[in-house]
């Protein structure tokens, strides 16, 4: 009933359909990025804030929020209301919705999607979703409008009095306006892989090398492709036949696409045998005559034989490491980062 009485007091604002409205253009915003920078400005009564471009749909953002903070004038009660229009167009040929209108008075028309009396002394927010299916919700001091897509031309916001005879100090005191994106609950991650010589390794090259890229608590991902996941600390794991080849830690933040570069180590590792010459060495059922060999990452079965004694144990070899095999009453392994000198293949 209160809203209906206000609309009767201001017959220029129609209850439904297209509305004609005039005002000085205070600011024109062009929002191209889904997660755009927060914009702060002031808006006096009757001025217009135009948003002439909205970002395309993104998994990082599902709308924008406009926060209106009243001036500290000591007013009480609801003296003003916020109006939001979509599909805004200039009514006169010499007017437009671009930045050339800043500071100029313009005449426009658009579909009203929100009329809401403002609280007297507290902030109020208008939440505008970009998709028909969204999770944007309102509250006591916030309202959600109908969806507005990036093909809906411009959006206009203005604040008007809802009663007559207000003193000039109220009409001239500006509201503080904050425009910011409404983030979803995910962040983005893009993983690039480079070789030990700093060359970019494509997804096809990784596949040819038998390498996979995995994200703990998520699963396999493709290199150079953005995935959208819950914020948190993740381990990027590069494996070959289930054996860890390289790893890196990355932090994923809400509303941000994080780029991570993981460098591959040297493709081969060394296995050194610190055992007597009389001990027979077999690696994956092949006899080894040398006491130092180079091998690609993978799982290996090490066998040592001396007379009637035989010991057998598996070794998971990671890339770019040097392993030492010692012999006592069994097989002992230790490892460190590999040296640069080449070794003989098994």
């Amino acid at each position: 009933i209160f809203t209906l009485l206000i609309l009767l007091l201001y017959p220029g604002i129609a209850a439904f359909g297209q509305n004609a409205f005039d005002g000085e253009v205070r600011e024109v915003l062009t929002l191209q990025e889904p997660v755009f920078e927060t914009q702060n400005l002031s808006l006096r009564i009757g001025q217009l804030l135009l948003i002439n471009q909205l970002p395309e749909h993104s998994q990082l953002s599902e709308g924008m929020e406009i926060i209106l903070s009243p001036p500290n004038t000591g007013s009480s009660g609801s003296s003003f209301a916020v109006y939001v229009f979509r599909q805004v167009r200039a009514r006169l040929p010499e007017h437009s919705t671009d930045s050339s209108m800043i500071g100029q008075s313009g005449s426009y028309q658009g579909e009203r999607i929100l009329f809401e009396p403002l609280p007297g002394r507290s902030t109020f927010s208008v939440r505008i979703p970009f998709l028909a299916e969204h999770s944007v919700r309102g509250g006591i001091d916030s309202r959600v409008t109908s969806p507005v897509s990036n093909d809906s031309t411009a959006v206009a916001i203005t604040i008007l009095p809802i009663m007559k005879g207000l003193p000039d100090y109220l009409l001239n005191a500006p509201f503080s306006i904050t425009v910011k994106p409404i983030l979803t609950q995910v962040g983005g991650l893009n993983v690039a892989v480079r070789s030990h010589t700093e060359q970019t390794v494509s997804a096809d090259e990784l596949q040819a090398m038998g390498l996979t890229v995995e994200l703990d608590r998520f699963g396999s991902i493709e290199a150079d492709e953005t995935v959208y996941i819950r914020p948190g600390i993740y381990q990027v794991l590069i494996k070959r036949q289930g054996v860890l080849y390289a790893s890196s830690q990355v932090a994923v933040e809400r509303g941000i696409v994080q780029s991570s570069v993981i460098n591959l180590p040297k493709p081969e590792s060394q296995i050194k045998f610190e055992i007597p010459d009389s001990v027979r060495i077999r690696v994956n059922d092949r006899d080894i005559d040398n006491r130092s060999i180079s091998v690609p990452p993978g799982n290996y079965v090490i066998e040592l034989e001396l007379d009637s004694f035989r010991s057998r144990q598996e070794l998971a070899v990671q890339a770019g490491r040097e392993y030492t095999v010692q012999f006592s009453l069994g097989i002992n392994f230790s490892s460190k980062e590999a040296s640069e000198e080449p070794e003989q293949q098994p």
Side-chain angles (χ1 to χ4, degrees):
I1 297 175
F2 180 62
T3 300
L4 180 60
L5 290 174
I6 293 171
L7 293 175
L8 290 175
L9 287 173
Y10 293 90
I13 304 295
F16 302 100
Q18 293 292 313
N19 293 253
F21 53 95
D22 301 329
E24 176 192 345
V25 178
R26 171 64 179 84
E27 187 62 82
V28 177
L29 300 181
T30 300
L31 307 178
Q32 296 179 329
E33 298 296 328
V35 184
F36 55 85
E37 292 186 4
T38 298
Q39 307 289 321
N40 296 291
L41 60 137
S42 60
L43 194 68
R44 292 202 315 269
I45 305 305
Q47 288 184 321
L48 299 174
L49 168 61
L50 299 180
I51 303 175
N52 66 357
Q53 182 176 337
L54 297 174
E56 295 184 358
H57 167 60
S58 167
Q59 295 193 56
L60 298 177
S61 171
E62 58 180 340
M64 64 179 174
E65 183 174 25
I66 302 169
I67 302 173
L68 304 95
S69 300
N72 186 17
T73 58
S75 61
S76 60
S78 298
S79 302
F80 305 99
V82 59
Y83 294 80
V84 181
F85 305 90
R86 66 181 175 186
Q87 298 178 347
V88 174
R89 294 176 175 82
R91 299 176 64 201
L92 300 176
E94 61 270 25
H95 295 167
S96 69
T97 59
D98 59 33
S99 58
S100 64
M101 290 298 297
I102 294 177
Q104 306 294 320
S105 293
S107 182
Y108 300 93
Q109 67 178 23
E111 179 188 354
R112 182 174 62 83
I113 58 174
L114 180 70
F115 161 81
E116 187 69 31
L118 295 174
R121 297 186 179 182
S122 60
T123 59
F124 184 84
S125 71
V126 177
R127 297 171 181 171
I128 305 177
F130 292 156
L131 292 175
E133 296 183 4
H134 60 84
S135 62
V136 181
R137 297 292 181 265
I140 297 176
D141 291 327
S142 62
R143 296 293 182 270
V144 179
T145 72
S146 301
V148 175
S149 62
N150 65 332
D151 58 357
S152 299
T153 62
V155 172
I157 297 96
T158 188
I159 301 171
L160 295 175
I162 55 176
M163 59 182 64
K164 296 182 179 180
L166 293 174
D168 290 342
Y169 77 89
L170 288 179
L171 297 174
N172 294 326
F175 279 69
S176 297
I177 307 295
T178 300
V179 182
K180 65 179 186 178
I182 299 175
L183 303 180
T184 61
Q185 297 301 314
V186 301
L189 176 62
N190 186 288
V191 176
V193 181
R194 293 179 183 170
S195 68
H196 68 287
T197 58
E198 298 296 324
Q199 301 297 314
T200 299
V201 182
S202 68
D204 291 339
E205 290 172 328
L206 287 172
Q207 184 177 8
M209 296 166 64
L211 299 178
T212 60
V213 184
E214 299 178 12
L215 211 57
D216 69 322
R217 298 181 288 118
F218 183 80
S220 298
I221 62 174
E222 293 289 337
D224 296 319
E225 290 188 8
T226 301
V227 294
Y228 296 94
I229 54 180
R230 293 282 183 177
I233 305 297
Y234 291 86
Q235 292 288 334
V236 182
L237 309 172
I238 297 184
K239 295 182 179 181
R240 181 179 182 184
Q241 297 177 351
V243 177
L244 184 65
Y245 197 91
S247 65
S248 178
Q249 183 172 280
V250 62
V252 176
E253 299 181 39
R254 181 184 176 204
I256 297 176
V257 175
Q258 179 68 41
S259 296
S260 176
V261 177
I262 183 167
N263 293 306
L264 299 179
K266 291 171 53 180
E268 293 185 339
S269 296
Q270 286 79 45
I271 302 178
K272 294 185 177 182
F273 298 91
E274 295 183 353
I275 58 177
D277 293 339
S278 57
V279 176
R280 181 185 180 187
I281 305 171
R282 291 174 63 84
V283 177
N284 287 355
D285 295 326
R286 294 178 57 189
D287 287 322
I288 301 298
D289 296 327
N290 297 286
R291 289 304 188 260
S292 181
I293 60 175
S294 294
V295 295
N299 293 313
Y300 293 86
V301 177
I302 309 295
E303 293 181 90
L304 301 180
E305 295 183 16
L306 179 62
D307 296 332
S308 61
F309 176 83
R310 174 182 295 179
S311 182
R312 175 188 176 98
Q313 192 166 331
E314 291 187 359
L315 173 64
V317 173
Q318 301 178 16
R321 297 196 63 81
E322 182 179 286
Y323 294 83
T324 300
V325 180
Q326 297 176 326
F327 175 73
S328 55
L329 295 178
I331 302 176
N332 299 317
F333 296 126
S334 63
S335 73
K336 64 179 182 179
E337 290 189 4
S339 60
E340 295 294 330
E341 56 186 65
E343 304 290 348
Q344 178 183 343
Q345 297 288 338

